[in-house]
Each structure stands twice: as C-alpha cells, then as structure tokens.
Amino acid sequence: MARKTGLLLDVSGIQSYIFGTNMLKQNVGASWIVSHVLEEDYLQKALPLQREQIVYQGGGNALLIFDNEEKAQDYSRLWSLKVLKDYPGVQPTAGIYTGEYPESETSNGFNLFLSACRENLKRSRSLDQVNTQIPRFGVTRECIYTGGSAQYYDDQLTSKAAGGLPKAYSHEVKIKYESYIPAERKLSKQFQDQLLDYSFTDNFETLAGTTNDDHRAAMAVIHIDGNDMGKRFSILQSLQRFKDISVEVSALFEQALATVIEKTVELLSRDQLILKNMGISAGILPVRPIILGGDDITYVCHASLGLWSAELFLTTLEALQGESESKITACAGIAFTKPSYPFDQVYYIA
C-alpha cells in the first residue's frame, strides 16, 4: 500500500440543470455537458494528466490520483474554473481524501479508498452551496428559460411573457443549444444500427404527436434505475473489478435501450398507419433518449409506447444475462404528460 490522495469529481444540481426547461434540445445538450466534463479528453484540458492518474470513471464520477493533497487541490481548482467558464450553470463539486492506496489494479482495498472519497464528496456538497449564476440586476433583461440574467436575444422570435419583445436568453442556454449538436451526433452514431431510416426528434411537440379525432398529444417520461447497485459495488475489492462491472452494467443497459429502439422501428415498419394514428411525421422515431449513464436511463416516447417500451426494456435486461445467478435488475417509473407541462415536475414524478 502507498499513501496517495484521491480527488473525486462530480456535478451537483443535475436534475434542475438538465430538466429545468421544456426545450428538448436544451435537455439533450445539458445531459451531454454533464457527462462530457467528466470524460478523459476534457479532464486533460484542465491540466495535463498522466493516463494512470485517471483511475476510474463511473456512476457520474471521475476519480483522479495524486501524490499529495496540494496537487489534488490545484487540479480541483483548475478543473472547476474551466467548467464554470465553459459551461455556465453547471455546479462542479469535489471530494479529496488522502490514505492508503492499493499498489495495483488487482489488489484489494480500492473499495475502502473510494468510499472515503465519496464520504468527503458528500461533506463537500453539504457545506459548499456556491451560486454559479450571473446575478441579474434591475436594468438587465430576464432569460425566458432560466429566469437569470440574459446576454442574448432572438429578434426573429417574440415572447408573450415579455409583452411581445424579442426572446431574451442567457449564455447558459446558448451553450446548451450548441451542445445539442455533438450530443445528437454521438447518440445517432451509438444507435445507427437500430435507427435505420428513422431519426430522433428535437422537440417534445413532435414526439407527442398532433391532436386528432383518435389521439390527443401526449408523451411518456420513463426513468429506469438499477436495483441495489450500491450494494453490488460495495463488495468489490479491487479497481479492476470496479472497471469490469461498470463496463458490464453500461453495456447491458445500453443494449436494452437499443432493443427498445430496434423493436419500435420494427413495429412502425410493419404498419405505417401507426405513425399517422400517433400524429407523428414519417421518419421520426417516437422514442428519444435523454440520459444514458450506466444504470441510470431516462428517455421520452409517445404516450402509447410508454408501458410497452418500459416492460420491453426490463425483460430484455433480464434476458441478456441468460442464466446468471446474480442478475442485474432494475425498476422503471413512468409519467404521462402533455408536452407543455413543466418537464422537471414530470421527471420528478417518473
């Protein structure tokens, strides 16, 4: 065992940051941002690291190892500053712990080290309630999405709430919209084999369909979470086991979602009238992933597919594991809503 300092990086306030608006492009862009700031390429931009210093990424965290606490604090400061500059509205948090660290990835003791880092991360979250928003004064316009200070406006669109004035929006919103592009590119590539001639929509109104004689515009929000995952990981002793199980869990849940998309495409291809009855344009897939984070999955779909798709996801997850005696299981929460209802409230219900 060697004495090392662990730096566990995380993002707080994720739910309000991702789901605080009914604009699907912003939701998807924000979700991509939250995962991107903890990816290796972004971590390297804050301050060059040795590859072995980034020891673990999973569960929405990234664990970095340093020789001493001073270096860990320096990196935490630089990473947090970069996040705040690049992605306003994101709340970076960190937990620092110095203790005995296993000599190799296969040695026991990693779980104790990681647990201590997580405890300090929780303590940091409870103590540091930092406001990262730009304050709004009486002379500044209000962002129609966040309620904060607006730095931009769209003179092609007007807001009823602002008395017909051009829609004003903040830098946070602008960055979310811009992040939708790499998010959509990544998602389309991830499920290109299942999508075939279909594409994801970029707004809830299209997903919910248009109201007609047979259907009223409605969508389902599905949140899926693995059962007892904390307990499953707590018994793992080595870093290698943590990495292996994390990859296995992510692959399982992603494959289950891919099956939902594939079966939806098959269903629509068999009967083209289904899309018409839903009030959805041809070529638009009535299923839209928003969060893909290991065992944490959130997607939206046309209301008529809500129960069917959630059941298909859970049964597929079980079937993929064959006769394993320690199967990973999950629960699904479903909320049905109109596309105009506050999305953060629907997500909370789900």
Side-chain angles (χ1 to χ4, degrees):
M1 289 279 190
R3 195 164 181 80
K4 297 285 186 178
T5 297
L7 173 63
L8 189 61
L9 303 176
D10 193 14
V11 174
S12 297
I14 291 176
Q15 293 183 10
S16 60
Y17 181 74
I18 295 178
F19 301 112
T21 175
N22 280 49
M23 307 303 291
L24 183 55
K25 278 191 173 183
Q26 291 186 43
N27 305 140
V28 174
S31 178
W32 178 85
I33 289 170
V34 168
S35 61
H36 177 64
V37 297
L38 295 170
E39 292 174 349
E40 182 179 348
D41 61 339
Y42 190 84
L43 296 174
Q44 291 282 8
K45 291 176 182 177
L47 184 70
L49 298 165
Q50 298 297 321
R51 179 62 191 88
E52 57 271 17
Q53 285 184 267
I54 307 174
V55 298
Y56 176 71
Q57 291 167 289
N61 304 136
L63 178 64
L64 280 57
I65 294 297
F66 296 87
D67 292 332
N68 55 64
E69 195 163 318
E70 183 179 358
K71 291 181 179 179
Q73 289 175 343
D74 286 343
Y75 183 88
S76 177
R77 176 177 55 82
L78 292 171
W79 174 77
S80 299
L81 184 60
K82 180 171 177 56
V83 171
L84 293 174
K85 285 182 175 180
D86 292 347
Y87 303 110
V90 175
Q91 299 180 33
T93 57
I96 297 177
Y97 169 75
T98 301
E100 298 300 318
Y101 185 77
E103 296 178 356
S104 69
E105 292 190 1
T106 56
S107 302
N108 292 339
F110 177 76
N111 59 337
L112 297 176
F113 188 88
L114 181 58
S115 295
C117 290
R118 283 177 174 160
E119 284 300 315
N120 285 347
L121 177 63
K122 290 179 182 178
R123 189 175 294 110
S124 176
R125 279 177 171 175
S126 65
L127 294 175
D128 300 328
Q129 299 295 325
V130 179
N131 180 15
T132 61
Q133 300 288 347
I134 298 175
R136 188 172 71 86
F137 303 99
V139 295
T140 60
R141 289 281 297 277
E142 179 179 325
C143 172
I144 63 170
Y145 301 108
T146 67
S149 178
Q151 289 83 44
Y152 306 91
Y153 70 91
D154 189 335
D155 57 3
Q156 301 300 312
L157 299 171
T158 59
S159 170
K160 292 182 180 179
L165 293 173
K167 282 189 174 181
Y169 57 97
S170 63
H171 189 57
E172 173 184 334
V173 170
K174 180 176 184 290
I175 294 299
K176 286 180 180 179
Y177 272 122
E178 291 176 351
S179 298
Y180 173 80
I181 298 173
E184 180 68 5
R185 189 184 303 122
K186 178 181 179 181
L187 196 66
S188 297
K189 183 178 180 181
Q190 199 169 358
F191 297 106
Q192 60 182 348
D193 293 337
Q194 290 78 35
L195 284 170
L196 300 180
D197 295 328
Y198 289 85
S199 61
F200 294 120
T201 182
D202 60 4
N203 66 80
F204 289 126
E205 287 74 16
T206 300
L207 188 77
T210 54
T211 298
N212 53 44
D213 294 339
D214 302 316
H215 168 263
R216 292 191 64 81
M219 64 184 190
V221 179
I222 293 92
H223 176 69
I224 296 174
D225 201 7
N227 295 329
D228 298 323
M229 297 306 294
K231 184 184 298 183
R232 185 180 292 267
F233 277 91
S234 67
I235 62 175
L236 304 178
Q237 296 289 325
S238 69
L239 171 58
Q240 189 59 57
R241 289 295 294 153
F242 267 83
K243 288 183 175 180
D244 292 344
I245 298 301
S246 293
V247 171
E248 178 185 339
V249 169
S250 295
L252 275 173
F253 279 75
E254 182 180 318
Q255 197 169 349
L257 183 59
T259 299
V260 170
I261 294 173
E262 180 181 3
K263 296 299 182 182
T264 303
V265 169
E266 290 179 5
L267 179 68
L268 301 177
S269 299
R270 285 199 302 268
D271 188 353
Q272 291 295 318
L273 287 177
I274 294 178
L275 275 177
K276 184 178 180 181
N277 292 336
M278 288 180 177
I280 296 179
S281 303
I284 297 296
L285 187 74
V287 176
R288 184 50 151 108
I290 296 180
I291 292 180
L292 298 174
D295 68 314
D296 186 1
I297 303 286
T298 300
Y299 67 92
V300 291
C301 65
H302 190 274
S304 63
L305 301 176
L307 289 170
W308 171 80
S309 66
E311 181 185 15
L312 176 60
F313 186 103
L314 297 178
T315 54
T316 301
L317 183 68
E318 183 177 2
L320 287 171
Q321 300 173 75
E323 301 300 323
S324 173
E325 295 182 358
S326 57
K327 285 186 177 181
I328 295 171
T329 60
C331 287
I334 310 172
F336 297 94
T337 180
K338 295 180 179 179
S340 59
Y341 194 81
F343 192 59
D344 57 342
Q345 296 299 311
V346 183
Y347 173 78
Y348 176 78
I349 294 170

